[in-house]
Amino acid sequence: MKKVLILGGGFAGVEAAIFLRKEGFSVTLISNRDYFYIYPTSIWIPTGESKFEDICVPLKDLQKAHGFELIIDEVTAIKSKENKVYCTKETYEYEYLVVAMGSGKMKHQGSENFLSICGVPEDSLKIKDKIDALIQKGSGKIAMGFGGNPKDPSNVRGGPAFEVLFNVHNQLKKLGIRDNFELTFFAPMAEPGARMGKQALKMMDVMFNKLDIKKHFGKKITKFEEDGIVFEDESKLESDFTMFIPAGNGHNVFANSDLPLNDSGMILINDYCEVQHNFDESSETQKGICKVFAIGDSVALQGPDWRAKQGHVAEVMARNVAFNLKQMVLGSDARKGYEEHINILCVMDSGDGAAFVYRDNKGGKMIPMPFIGHWLKKGWGFYCRNSKLGKIPRIPGM
Ligand SMILES: Cc1cc2nc3c(=O)[nH]c(=O)nc-3n(C[C@H](O)[C@H](O)[C@H](O)COP(=O)(O)OP(=O)(O)OC[C@H]3O[C@@H](n4cnc5c(N)ncnc54)[C@H](O)[C@@H]3O)c2cc1C
């Protein structure tokens, strides 16, 4: 049986493990966390609607359901010329490698003064503590926003900042203390969320006005301070608590590896998720045999200007790798590419409803789904956990 080593136990790594097992490979998965974290539904932790455990799926349970080997270890370097992965506890050799370790984050001055819903999972609980403390106090200023990556716009993630802020608005409203709080949404770009399309932008504006959420757009962020955010013109947005999502860039392990990277440190792949090695003209890669694949948030995504890194794209890449590797081993030329599957698809929660957001080459749509949208997203969380554990059937393509 051919052996595959997968690095990372997120959307990309777990899906790859499941589908490579289905294709008959022997699979080992290395992760520094012992659980798969369902990031999209973590937005409810800060407002107490979900518990931390609700968002975690133990990797041991996924291992039992799909029969892969699991190693909890921290990857420190990948040396593809040596077919080796260096970890804190041990060094591992591989026959085939799938890199699925997510991304790193852009650095910001004063980053100790904000928390991110897209950072380490435990930060979601710290965000909850900060919001709870302000609720106890009875009033305050809360600012939430996201940043850009000029070298690679596909790594910008704003949706969860909208979602957490809308949920906080609803929480305060239910408690009857919304009027005592100033909520502000901030971003350095003039039109945050523009890649979702013009109609979505208009709708977001209507939402901000309706919910009395202030906007602070179009000024570059200089630094974060304990009591607010300072911008390029030295103006300051005062904030008792700041939630900020830095844009993604290359994982720090990639800088300590011999994989080809783009300017922001993401791994360069082709449409089939094969890592584009350029150091060895005579390598097997040149003969159509690829040993290293990269998927999910770790890669330099190709595609239209509005492309975005999302969980469902990570999963398409993972399923394609399982198919492509099987075909390669069988000596077949059949391959599946990911680029035709690039779209933006999400249900953006607002605490009491949601908006269905879809963007493809034809344009963008945002369809309001009062009440039902919230429960649809909850239902997806249930589906995600239980279908991966093999407890309910998979819906094709989901
Ligand atoms: C709050 C939030 C909401 C989102 N909402 C949506 C949504 O509604 N729809 C959507 O499609 N997408 C959404 N996304 C995006 C989606 O979650 C990501 O695109 C997806 O998680 C990428 O999967 P991944 O496996 O590439 O990376 P990750 O999920 O980040 O997984 C990376 C894995 O690698 C492991 N790892 C990292 N470093 C090391 C190391 N050094 N050694 C060993 N293991 C390591 C981690 O423990 C983890 O298991 C959201 C993201 C966030 C943060």
Side-chain angles (χ1 to χ4, degrees):
M1 214 188 305
K2 297 278 184 192
K3 291 182 182 159
V4 186
L5 181 64
I6 299 173
L7 309 181
F11 275 94
V14 164
E15 189 80 341
I18 294 172
F19 278 79
L20 282 161
R21 286 294 300 132
K22 280 188 204 289
E23 295 287 8
F25 289 93
S26 160
V27 173
T28 302
L29 187 148
I30 300 179
S31 170
N32 59 357
R33 296 201 279 263
D34 63 1
Y35 56 88
F36 160 55
Y37 192 62
I38 310 176
Y39 271 112
T41 53
S42 68
I43 51 148
W44 292 309
I45 296 175
T47 45
E49 205 179 324
S50 289
K51 292 206 174 66
F52 189 76
E53 310 79 76
D54 300 338
I55 311 305
C56 302
V57 185
L59 284 174
K60 246 199 237 158
D61 294 352
L62 289 161
Q63 173 194 23
K64 261 188 231 147
H66 301 284
F68 56 84
E69 207 187 308
L70 174 65
I71 296 170
I72 304 301
D73 206 344
E74 177 88 25
V75 179
T76 54
I78 302 163
K79 301 291 175 191
S80 62
K81 278 187 195 170
E82 304 166 18
N83 283 3
K84 278 184 187 160
V85 171
Y86 292 82
C87 292
T88 309
K89 295 185 203 158
E90 244 182 85
T91 298
Y92 304 89
E93 286 202 36
Y94 60 80
E95 194 171 357
Y96 296 102
L97 181 70
V98 179
V99 184
M101 291 165 55
S103 71
K105 300 282 174 281
M106 298 279 284
K107 301 268 178 292
H108 290 271
Q109 198 184 331
S111 58
E112 67 281 11
N113 295 311
F114 67 77
L115 289 166
S116 172
I117 191 70
C118 297
V120 289
E122 291 76 11
D123 275 5
S124 60
L125 290 168
K126 293 185 189 162
I127 297 173
K128 179 174 179 350
D129 289 346
K130 292 278 187 188
I131 291 167
D132 286 352
L134 284 175
I135 289 174
Q136 280 295 314
K137 191 176 147 241
S139 66
K141 293 178 178 176
I142 299 174
M144 298 201 181
F146 66 96
N149 178 345
K151 289 184 183 164
D152 191 343
S154 72
N155 298 306
V156 173
R157 186 157 287 142
F162 293 113
E163 292 182 292
V164 177
L165 192 57
F166 291 151
N167 274 273
V168 168
H169 162 88
N170 271 298
Q171 184 186 18
L172 297 174
K173 212 172 120 197
K174 269 190 212 150
L175 292 169
I177 52 174
R178 173 64 181 91
D179 290 347
N180 303 346
F181 283 82
E182 186 181 287
L183 303 187
T184 307
F185 193 87
F186 69 99
M189 44 299 255
E191 292 188 318
R195 68 179 170 195
M196 293 187 294
K198 283 201 164 38
Q199 187 233 352
L201 267 186
K202 258 193 220 151
M203 252 185 79
M204 297 302 294
D205 210 46
V206 171
M207 283 282 278
F208 285 136
N209 291 333
K210 196 173 130 204
L211 306 182
D212 190 25
I213 293 175
K214 294 189 170 19
K215 294 169 290 181
H216 191 291
F217 299 158
K219 281 187 196 174
K220 273 195 193 136
I221 298 163
T222 310
K223 61 180 169 181
F224 292 87
E225 295 184 339
E226 208 180 333
D227 57 353
I229 306 120
V230 179
F231 296 91
E232 56 186 339
D233 60 357
E234 293 182 10
S235 63
K236 185 166 177 174
L237 170 63
E238 286 181 11
S239 166
D240 299 312
F241 169 58
T242 305
M243 199 290 287
F244 176 69
I245 304 177
N249 65 6
H251 195 300
N252 57 5
V253 166
F254 304 159
N256 196 19
S257 304
D258 60 2
L259 303 175
L261 307 175
N262 75 355
D263 286 350
S264 66
M266 300 292 181
I267 303 173
L268 290 166
I269 56 165
N270 64 12
D271 196 22
Y272 309 135
C273 300
E274 297 168 342
V275 172
Q276 296 300 282
H277 282 80
N278 53 10
F279 52 77
D280 181 4
E281 291 292 313
S282 64
S283 75
E284 282 184 288
T285 312
Q286 304 302 317
K287 293 181 242 151
I289 300 291
C290 180
K291 290 193 162 174
V292 186
F293 298 81
I295 54 178
D297 283 8
S298 296
V299 309
L301 202 72
Q302 300 301 311
D305 288 349
W306 49 263
R307 69 196 185 280
K309 289 188 180 162
Q310 285 206 291
H312 68 274
V313 177
E315 290 186 337
V316 167
M317 289 175 155
R319 293 194 288 268
N320 285 357
V321 164
F323 175 86
N324 293 345
L325 193 50
K326 179 67 183 271
Q327 297 307 313
M328 211 174 73
V329 167
L330 291 175
S332 152
D333 287 337
R335 297 286 185 273
K336 285 185 180 172
Y338 77 87
E339 286 173 35
E340 63 177 297
H341 297 280
I342 297 271
N343 57 36
I344 297 176
L345 176 66
C346 73
V347 174
M348 196 189 287
D349 188 71
S350 57
D352 56 354
F356 173 76
V357 179
Y358 185 78
R359 170 83 206 242
D360 63 14
N361 272 329
K362 291 183 204 123
K365 280 195 225 39
M366 189 182 241
I367 302 167
M369 292 192 294
F371 188 70
I372 185 129
H374 179 68
W375 293 102
L376 203 70
K377 185 146 181 153
K378 291 244 148 152
W380 175 82
F382 174 88
Y383 167 79
C384 178
R385 166 188 296 274
N386 289 293
S387 62
K388 287 204 192 302
L389 286 169
K391 292 184 178 171
I392 55 172
R394 293 281 293 242
I395 301 168
M398 243 182 107

